[in-house]
Amino acid sequence: MLRKLAAKQHTQPIRGPFTITRIKPSNILDEDIGDSALGPLSIIDHAVMKKGLTIKMHEHVNDEIFSYVWAGTSYHKDSAGFEAPIAPGKLMIMNAGFSFWHEEKVKEDHVEMLQIFIRPEETDLIPNIQFHHKPTDNRDWYLMVGPESSGAPLHVRQNIYILDAHPNEGDQLQVPVYKRFTPFLYVLNGKLQVNDLTIGRQEAVTDLDSPLPPITALKDSTIVLFYIDRYATVSMEGTISGIKKHK
């Protein structure tokens, strides 16, 4: 059975020059499980950052963090010595492990992005950072993230896959199937028709038992598709991902 996560279910724990809309994946379930996460997918922060903002150097421990920029450019600096602009089509994963520090700046325009927090399979793994360039106009699915053995261009230390697509209005997409994984489809921008459900901006859809049916774009859209092993072993020691009930 299809389940929808409506935009009205989200919170905004931070507002102002740095505004976060916090998506708690477990809210798509009927019951309150006392945790924000759906399997290892802990939270999705849909962030908007205004020109001139600096998020000062801060530490993450035991978080796998995928940064997906939809608009603008965020300037990244970290304890590993990397400095890089993160923009549409340039993806970044911070595998924080036992300690990783980073800073973000917005120098021009504004930035709209997702910061996706995943619980790793083990505590205190080796820190790492990864970058990958991809098209920004792929109308069909593009595999961005997967487990270390998956062959995906970016990896996380967990059983989770992340894809995106940018369908134009009227496009119909078949949704891929990953056996024994639960789909969670998030609309960053635009609007979809999924059977009799309309899924708009900052909303999500899943089916806990069956593959998702084909989707139709009612507007030009940017969509992010997760495949989650809901029964994966996870570390609960993450700075952000390990918090069971986020504000």
Side-chain angles (χ1 to χ4, degrees):
M1 181 180 71
L2 291 177
R3 298 166 181 260
K4 175 178 174 177
L5 178 58
K8 65 182 180 181
Q9 294 175 257
H10 308 325
T11 59
Q12 283 194 332
I14 300 175
R15 300 182 186 181
F18 180 35
T19 296
I20 287 177
T21 299
R22 179 154 286 171
I23 292 86
K24 304 171 187 177
S26 72
N27 281 351
I28 207 165
L29 304 174
D30 291 334
E31 69 277 11
D32 182 354
I33 63 172
D35 193 351
S36 302
L38 189 65
L41 180 60
S42 179
I43 63 167
I44 302 168
D45 277 347
H46 192 142
V48 176
M49 300 181 287
K50 293 186 178 179
K51 179 180 178 179
L53 178 74
T54 296
I55 302 173
K56 294 181 179 180
M57 191 73 70
H58 60 283
E59 185 183 27
H60 283 275
V61 175
N62 295 314
D63 288 327
E64 304 278 291
I65 309 167
F66 177 41
S67 297
Y68 181 97
V69 176
W70 180 63
T73 301
S74 175
Y75 291 85
H76 166 89
K77 181 179 180 180
D78 63 47
S79 54
F82 288 102
E83 295 188 41
I86 309 301
K90 186 168 186 180
L91 310 174
M92 179 178 73
I93 280 188
M94 293 177 284
N95 311 100
F98 59 76
S99 179
F100 197 88
W101 292 75
H102 76 113
E103 175 182 284
E104 307 293 334
K105 290 185 178 182
V106 180
K107 299 179 181 180
E108 61 272 322
D109 300 324
H110 78 285
V111 170
E112 185 170 354
M113 66 180 294
L114 303 181
Q115 276 209 316
I116 297 159
F117 293 87
I118 296 165
R119 292 171 178 167
E121 60 191 2
E122 296 180 37
T123 300
D124 294 342
L125 295 167
I126 300 298
N128 190 31
I129 187 164
Q130 306 166 65
F131 299 92
H132 176 68
H133 288 272
K134 68 171 292 292
T136 58
D137 58 355
N138 50 293
R139 290 167 67 178
D140 209 341
W141 301 106
Y142 186 102
L143 175 62
M144 302 181 290
V145 176
E148 291 180 283
S149 61
S150 66
L154 297 172
H155 70 261
V156 287
R157 282 82 70 96
Q158 191 48 270
N159 282 338
I160 192 167
Y161 294 84
I162 309 176
L163 306 87
D164 79 341
H166 304 268
N168 291 345
E169 181 178 346
D171 285 353
Q172 185 177 80
L173 294 183
Q174 300 290 326
V175 181
V177 175
Y178 286 72
K179 291 183 179 179
R180 297 182 295 278
F181 284 72
T182 298
F184 184 89
L185 176 57
Y186 179 72
V187 178
L188 194 160
N189 196 62
K191 185 183 292 186
L192 305 179
Q193 189 73 35
V194 187
N195 281 357
D196 59 348
L197 292 180
T198 300
I199 312 298
R201 174 177 162 83
Q202 295 187 335
E203 296 188 325
V205 63
T206 190
D207 191 312
L208 301 179
D209 303 307
S210 303
L212 289 175
I215 61 175
T216 300
L218 301 179
K219 295 181 178 179
D220 292 357
S221 300
T222 294
I223 53 182
V224 181
L225 175 61
F226 301 85
Y227 274 96
I228 304 159
D229 178 358
R230 292 172 58 206
Y231 306 103
T233 300
V234 301
S235 167
M236 296 297 297
E237 301 301 318
T239 304
I240 300 297
S241 65
I243 302 172
K244 290 196 73 173
K245 203 65 178 175
H246 296 270
K247 295 180 180 179

Short mmCIF file of all heavy atoms in Angstrom, two decimals, residues 173-217:
data_model
loop_
_atom_site.label_atom_id
_atom_site.label_comp_id
_atom_site.label_asym_id
_atom_site.label_seq_id
_atom_site.Cartn_x
_atom_site.Cartn_y
_atom_site.Cartn_z
N LEU A 173 8.14 7.74 -15.53
CA LEU A 173 9.33 6.96 -15.20
C LEU A 173 8.93 5.66 -14.53
O LEU A 173 8.09 5.64 -13.63
CB LEU A 173 10.24 7.73 -14.24
CG LEU A 173 10.91 9.01 -14.73
CD1 LEU A 173 11.82 9.57 -13.63
CD2 LEU A 173 11.70 8.77 -15.99
N GLN A 174 9.56 4.58 -14.96
CA GLN A 174 9.49 3.34 -14.21
C GLN A 174 10.45 3.47 -13.01
O GLN A 174 11.54 4.01 -13.14
CB GLN A 174 9.91 2.16 -15.08
CG GLN A 174 9.05 1.96 -16.32
CD GLN A 174 7.66 1.46 -15.98
OE1 GLN A 174 7.48 0.70 -15.03
NE2 GLN A 174 6.67 1.88 -16.76
N VAL A 175 10.02 2.98 -11.88
CA VAL A 175 10.86 3.07 -10.69
C VAL A 175 11.66 1.78 -10.56
O VAL A 175 11.08 0.69 -10.57
CB VAL A 175 10.01 3.30 -9.43
CG1 VAL A 175 10.90 3.41 -8.19
CG2 VAL A 175 9.17 4.58 -9.59
N PRO A 176 12.98 1.87 -10.47
CA PRO A 176 13.77 0.65 -10.37
C PRO A 176 13.45 -0.12 -9.09
O PRO A 176 12.89 0.43 -8.14
CB PRO A 176 15.22 1.16 -10.37
CG PRO A 176 15.13 2.57 -9.95
CD PRO A 176 13.82 3.08 -10.44
N VAL A 177 13.83 -1.39 -9.08
CA VAL A 177 13.56 -2.25 -7.94
C VAL A 177 14.88 -2.79 -7.39
O VAL A 177 15.71 -3.30 -8.16
CB VAL A 177 12.64 -3.42 -8.33
CG1 VAL A 177 12.46 -4.37 -7.15
CG2 VAL A 177 11.28 -2.90 -8.82
N TYR A 178 15.08 -2.64 -6.10
CA TYR A 178 16.19 -3.27 -5.40
C TYR A 178 15.58 -4.28 -4.43
O TYR A 178 14.93 -3.89 -3.45
CB TYR A 178 17.01 -2.22 -4.63
CG TYR A 178 17.89 -1.36 -5.51
CD1 TYR A 178 17.32 -0.38 -6.34
CD2 TYR A 178 19.27 -1.50 -5.53
CE1 TYR A 178 18.11 0.42 -7.15
CE2 TYR A 178 20.07 -0.71 -6.34
CZ TYR A 178 19.47 0.25 -7.15
OH TYR A 178 20.26 1.04 -7.95
N LYS A 179 15.75 -5.55 -4.72
CA LYS A 179 15.10 -6.59 -3.94
C LYS A 179 15.52 -6.53 -2.47
O LYS A 179 16.68 -6.32 -2.16
CB LYS A 179 15.42 -7.96 -4.52
CG LYS A 179 14.78 -8.21 -5.88
CD LYS A 179 15.07 -9.62 -6.38
CE LYS A 179 14.39 -9.87 -7.72
NZ LYS A 179 14.67 -11.23 -8.24
N ARG A 180 14.53 -6.67 -1.60
CA ARG A 180 14.69 -6.68 -0.14
C ARG A 180 15.04 -5.30 0.40
O ARG A 180 15.41 -5.16 1.57
CB ARG A 180 15.73 -7.71 0.30
CG ARG A 180 15.33 -9.16 -0.03
CD ARG A 180 16.35 -10.14 0.48
NE ARG A 180 17.63 -10.00 -0.21
CZ ARG A 180 17.88 -10.53 -1.40
NH1 ARG A 180 16.97 -11.23 -2.05
NH2 ARG A 180 19.07 -10.37 -1.95
N PHE A 181 14.91 -4.25 -0.43
CA PHE A 181 15.11 -2.88 0.02
C PHE A 181 13.78 -2.12 -0.08
O PHE A 181 13.00 -2.36 -0.99
CB PHE A 181 16.17 -2.16 -0.82
CG PHE A 181 17.59 -2.57 -0.50
CD1 PHE A 181 18.07 -3.82 -0.87
CD2 PHE A 181 18.43 -1.72 0.17
CE1 PHE A 181 19.36 -4.21 -0.58
CE2 PHE A 181 19.74 -2.09 0.47
CZ PHE A 181 20.21 -3.34 0.09
N THR A 182 13.57 -1.19 0.85
CA THR A 182 12.34 -0.39 0.88
C THR A 182 12.57 0.93 0.16
O THR A 182 13.53 1.65 0.47
CB THR A 182 11.93 -0.11 2.34
OG1 THR A 182 11.67 -1.35 3.00
CG2 THR A 182 10.69 0.77 2.41
N PRO A 183 11.69 1.31 -0.80
CA PRO A 183 11.84 2.59 -1.49
C PRO A 183 11.33 3.75 -0.65
O PRO A 183 10.37 3.61 0.12
CB PRO A 183 10.99 2.41 -2.75
CG PRO A 183 9.91 1.46 -2.31
CD PRO A 183 10.54 0.53 -1.32
N PHE A 184 11.96 4.90 -0.81
CA PHE A 184 11.51 6.15 -0.18
C PHE A 184 11.81 7.24 -1.19
O PHE A 184 12.97 7.58 -1.43
CB PHE A 184 12.25 6.38 1.14
CG PHE A 184 11.79 7.59 1.92
CD1 PHE A 184 10.76 7.49 2.85
CD2 PHE A 184 12.39 8.83 1.73
CE1 PHE A 184 10.34 8.60 3.58
CE2 PHE A 184 11.99 9.94 2.45
CZ PHE A 184 10.97 9.83 3.38
N LEU A 185 10.79 7.76 -1.84
CA LEU A 185 10.95 8.71 -2.94
C LEU A 185 10.59 10.12 -2.47
O LEU A 185 9.45 10.37 -2.05
CB LEU A 185 10.05 8.31 -4.11
CG LEU A 185 10.00 9.25 -5.32
CD1 LEU A 185 11.39 9.47 -5.90
CD2 LEU A 185 9.08 8.68 -6.40
N TYR A 186 11.56 11.03 -2.52
CA TYR A 186 11.41 12.40 -2.01
C TYR A 186 11.40 13.39 -3.17
O TYR A 186 12.26 13.33 -4.06
CB TYR A 186 12.56 12.73 -1.06
CG TYR A 186 12.51 14.13 -0.50
CD1 TYR A 186 11.56 14.48 0.46
CD2 TYR A 186 13.39 15.11 -0.93
CE1 TYR A 186 11.50 15.76 0.97
CE2 TYR A 186 13.35 16.40 -0.42
CZ TYR A 186 12.40 16.72 0.53
OH TYR A 186 12.34 17.99 1.04
N VAL A 187 10.44 14.32 -3.14
CA VAL A 187 10.34 15.36 -4.16
C VAL A 187 11.02 16.62 -3.63
O VAL A 187 10.48 17.32 -2.77
CB VAL A 187 8.87 15.64 -4.53
CG1 VAL A 187 8.79 16.76 -5.57
CG2 VAL A 187 8.21 14.37 -5.08
N LEU A 188 12.20 16.89 -4.13
CA LEU A 188 12.91 18.12 -3.74
C LEU A 188 12.20 19.34 -4.33
O LEU A 188 12.06 20.36 -3.67
CB LEU A 188 14.36 18.03 -4.21
CG LEU A 188 15.36 19.03 -3.66
CD1 LEU A 188 16.78 18.50 -3.84
CD2 LEU A 188 15.26 20.41 -4.29
N ASN A 189 11.75 19.19 -5.56
CA ASN A 189 11.03 20.29 -6.22
C ASN A 189 10.16 19.70 -7.32
O ASN A 189 10.56 18.74 -7.98
CB ASN A 189 12.01 21.30 -6.82
CG ASN A 189 11.34 22.60 -7.17
OD1 ASN A 189 10.82 23.29 -6.29
ND2 ASN A 189 11.32 22.96 -8.44
N GLY A 190 8.97 20.28 -7.51
CA GLY A 190 8.09 19.82 -8.56
C GLY A 190 6.87 19.11 -8.01
O GLY A 190 6.46 19.31 -6.86
N LYS A 191 6.29 18.22 -8.83
CA LYS A 191 5.08 17.50 -8.42
C LYS A 191 4.95 16.23 -9.24
O LYS A 191 5.18 16.23 -10.46
CB LYS A 191 3.84 18.39 -8.63
CG LYS A 191 2.54 17.77 -8.11
CD LYS A 191 1.33 18.67 -8.41
CE LYS A 191 1.37 19.94 -7.61
NZ LYS A 191 0.10 20.73 -7.80
N LEU A 192 4.56 15.14 -8.57
CA LEU A 192 4.41 13.84 -9.20
C LEU A 192 3.01 13.28 -9.00
O LEU A 192 2.34 13.61 -8.02
CB LEU A 192 5.39 12.82 -8.60
CG LEU A 192 6.88 13.13 -8.58
CD1 LEU A 192 7.62 11.99 -7.90
CD2 LEU A 192 7.42 13.38 -9.97
N GLN A 193 2.61 12.41 -9.92
CA GLN A 193 1.43 11.58 -9.73
C GLN A 193 1.90 10.14 -9.56
O GLN A 193 2.63 9.61 -10.41
CB GLN A 193 0.48 11.68 -10.93
CG GLN A 193 -0.87 11.02 -10.72
CD GLN A 193 -1.76 11.82 -9.78
OE1 GLN A 193 -1.73 13.05 -9.79
NE2 GLN A 193 -2.55 11.13 -8.99
N VAL A 194 1.49 9.51 -8.45
CA VAL A 194 1.84 8.12 -8.18
C VAL A 194 0.53 7.40 -7.89
O VAL A 194 -0.05 7.55 -6.81
CB VAL A 194 2.82 8.01 -6.99
CG1 VAL A 194 3.30 6.57 -6.83
CG2 VAL A 194 4.00 8.96 -7.17
N ASN A 195 0.04 6.65 -8.87
CA ASN A 195 -1.32 6.10 -8.81
C ASN A 195 -2.30 7.23 -8.51
O ASN A 195 -2.33 8.21 -9.23
CB ASN A 195 -1.41 4.95 -7.80
CG ASN A 195 -0.86 3.65 -8.38
OD1 ASN A 195 -0.47 3.59 -9.55
ND2 ASN A 195 -0.82 2.61 -7.58
N ASP A 196 -3.05 7.16 -7.41
CA ASP A 196 -4.03 8.21 -7.12
C ASP A 196 -3.49 9.26 -6.16
O ASP A 196 -4.24 10.13 -5.70
CB ASP A 196 -5.32 7.61 -6.56
CG ASP A 196 -5.09 6.82 -5.28
OD1 ASP A 196 -3.93 6.55 -4.94
OD2 ASP A 196 -6.09 6.49 -4.61
N LEU A 197 -2.19 9.22 -5.85
CA LEU A 197 -1.58 10.18 -4.95
C LEU A 197 -0.85 11.27 -5.72
O LEU A 197 -0.16 10.99 -6.71
CB LEU A 197 -0.59 9.51 -4.01
CG LEU A 197 -1.13 8.54 -2.95
CD1 LEU A 197 0.02 7.99 -2.13
CD2 LEU A 197 -2.15 9.23 -2.05
N THR A 198 -0.98 12.50 -5.27
CA THR A 198 -0.18 13.61 -5.76
C THR A 198 0.89 13.92 -4.72
O THR A 198 0.57 14.16 -3.55
CB THR A 198 -1.04 14.86 -6.01
OG1 THR A 198 -2.05 14.54 -6.98
CG2 THR A 198 -0.19 16.01 -6.53
N ILE A 199 2.15 13.90 -5.14
CA ILE A 199 3.28 14.10 -4.24
C ILE A 199 3.97 15.39 -4.67
O ILE A 199 4.52 15.47 -5.76
CB ILE A 199 4.26 12.92 -4.28
CG1 ILE A 199 3.52 11.58 -4.15
CG2 ILE A 199 5.31 13.07 -3.19
CD1 ILE A 199 2.78 11.38 -2.87
N GLY A 200 3.92 16.41 -3.80
CA GLY A 200 4.47 17.72 -4.14
C GLY A 200 5.82 17.97 -3.51
O GLY A 200 6.46 17.08 -2.93
N ARG A 201 6.26 19.20 -3.63
CA ARG A 201 7.56 19.63 -3.09
C ARG A 201 7.65 19.31 -1.60
O ARG A 201 6.73 19.55 -0.83
CB ARG A 201 7.72 21.13 -3.34
CG ARG A 201 8.95 21.77 -2.72
CD ARG A 201 9.02 23.24 -3.12
NE ARG A 201 9.91 24.00 -2.26
CZ ARG A 201 11.23 24.07 -2.39
NH1 ARG A 201 11.81 23.41 -3.38
NH2 ARG A 201 11.97 24.79 -1.57
N GLN A 202 8.78 18.76 -1.22
CA GLN A 202 9.10 18.39 0.17
C GLN A 202 8.15 17.31 0.70
O GLN A 202 7.93 17.21 1.91
CB GLN A 202 9.11 19.61 1.09
CG GLN A 202 10.21 20.60 0.75
CD GLN A 202 10.34 21.73 1.74
OE1 GLN A 202 9.39 22.09 2.43
NE2 GLN A 202 11.52 22.32 1.83
N GLU A 203 7.65 16.46 -0.19
CA GLU A 203 6.84 15.33 0.22
C GLU A 203 7.50 14.04 -0.26
O GLU A 203 8.39 14.05 -1.11
CB GLU A 203 5.42 15.46 -0.32
CG GLU A 203 4.69 16.67 0.27
CD GLU A 203 3.23 16.73 -0.09
OE1 GLU A 203 2.88 16.33 -1.22
OE2 GLU A 203 2.43 17.22 0.74
N ALA A 204 7.03 12.91 0.29
CA ALA A 204 7.64 11.62 -0.04
C ALA A 204 6.56 10.56 -0.14
O ALA A 204 5.44 10.72 0.36
CB ALA A 204 8.68 11.24 1.01
N VAL A 205 6.93 9.46 -0.78
CA VAL A 205 6.02 8.33 -0.93
C VAL A 205 6.83 7.04 -0.78
O VAL A 205 8.01 6.98 -1.14
CB VAL A 205 5.29 8.38 -2.29
CG1 VAL A 205 6.27 8.26 -3.46
CG2 VAL A 205 4.20 7.32 -2.40
N THR A 206 6.18 6.02 -0.23
CA THR A 206 6.80 4.71 -0.11
C THR A 206 5.75 3.63 -0.26
O THR A 206 4.54 3.91 -0.22
CB THR A 206 7.53 4.53 1.25
OG1 THR A 206 8.31 3.34 1.21
CG2 THR A 206 6.54 4.43 2.41
N ASP A 207 6.21 2.41 -0.40
CA ASP A 207 5.38 1.22 -0.23
C ASP A 207 6.26 0.23 0.53
O ASP A 207 7.35 -0.12 0.08
CB ASP A 207 4.95 0.63 -1.57
CG ASP A 207 3.88 -0.43 -1.42
OD1 ASP A 207 4.07 -1.33 -0.57
OD2 ASP A 207 2.86 -0.37 -2.13
N LEU A 208 5.80 -0.19 1.70
CA LEU A 208 6.62 -1.04 2.56
C LEU A 208 6.66 -2.49 2.10
O LEU A 208 7.51 -3.25 2.57
CB LEU A 208 6.09 -0.97 3.99
CG LEU A 208 6.07 0.42 4.63
CD1 LEU A 208 5.51 0.33 6.05
CD2 LEU A 208 7.45 1.07 4.65
N ASP A 209 5.75 -2.87 1.21
CA ASP A 209 5.63 -4.26 0.84
C ASP A 209 5.86 -4.55 -0.64
O ASP A 209 6.19 -5.67 -1.00
CB ASP A 209 4.23 -4.78 1.21
CG ASP A 209 3.92 -4.59 2.68
OD1 ASP A 209 4.74 -5.04 3.51
OD2 ASP A 209 2.89 -3.97 3.01
N SER A 210 5.68 -3.56 -1.50
CA SER A 210 5.73 -3.77 -2.94
C SER A 210 6.57 -2.70 -3.61
O SER A 210 6.79 -1.62 -3.05
CB SER A 210 4.30 -3.74 -3.52
OG SER A 210 3.48 -4.71 -2.90
N PRO A 211 7.02 -2.95 -4.84
CA PRO A 211 7.72 -1.90 -5.60
C PRO A 211 6.80 -0.72 -5.87
O PRO A 211 5.57 -0.86 -5.92
CB PRO A 211 8.10 -2.61 -6.91
CG PRO A 211 8.08 -4.07 -6.60
CD PRO A 211 7.00 -4.24 -5.57
N LEU A 212 7.39 0.45 -6.03
CA LEU A 212 6.60 1.62 -6.39
C LEU A 212 6.12 1.50 -7.83
O LEU A 212 6.86 1.01 -8.70
CB LEU A 212 7.42 2.90 -6.23
CG LEU A 212 7.72 3.34 -4.79
CD1 LEU A 212 8.63 4.56 -4.79
CD2 LEU A 212 6.43 3.64 -4.02
N PRO A 213 4.91 1.96 -8.13
CA PRO A 213 4.42 1.94 -9.50
C PRO A 213 5.10 3.02 -10.33
O PRO A 213 5.83 3.87 -9.78
CB PRO A 213 2.93 2.24 -9.33
CG PRO A 213 2.85 3.07 -8.09
CD PRO A 213 3.92 2.52 -7.18
N PRO A 214 4.88 3.05 -11.65
CA PRO A 214 5.42 4.14 -12.46
C PRO A 214 4.93 5.50 -11.96
O PRO A 214 3.82 5.61 -11.42
CB PRO A 214 4.87 3.84 -13.86
CG PRO A 214 4.60 2.37 -13.85
CD PRO A 214 4.15 2.05 -12.45
N ILE A 215 5.76 6.50 -12.12
CA ILE A 215 5.41 7.86 -11.68
C ILE A 215 5.33 8.78 -12.89
O ILE A 215 6.03 8.58 -13.89
CB ILE A 215 6.44 8.41 -10.67
CG1 ILE A 215 7.84 8.48 -11.31
CG2 ILE A 215 6.48 7.53 -9.42
CD1 ILE A 215 8.88 9.12 -10.42
N THR A 216 4.47 9.78 -12.80
CA THR A 216 4.32 10.78 -13.85
C THR A 216 4.62 12.16 -13.27
O THR A 216 4.09 12.53 -12.22
CB THR A 216 2.89 10.77 -14.42
OG1 THR A 216 2.60 9.47 -14.97
CG2 THR A 216 2.74 11.81 -15.53
N ALA A 217 5.46 12.92 -13.96
CA ALA A 217 5.79 14.28 -13.53
C ALA A 217 4.68 15.22 -13.97
O ALA A 217 4.41 15.37 -15.16
CB ALA A 217 7.13 14.72 -14.11
#
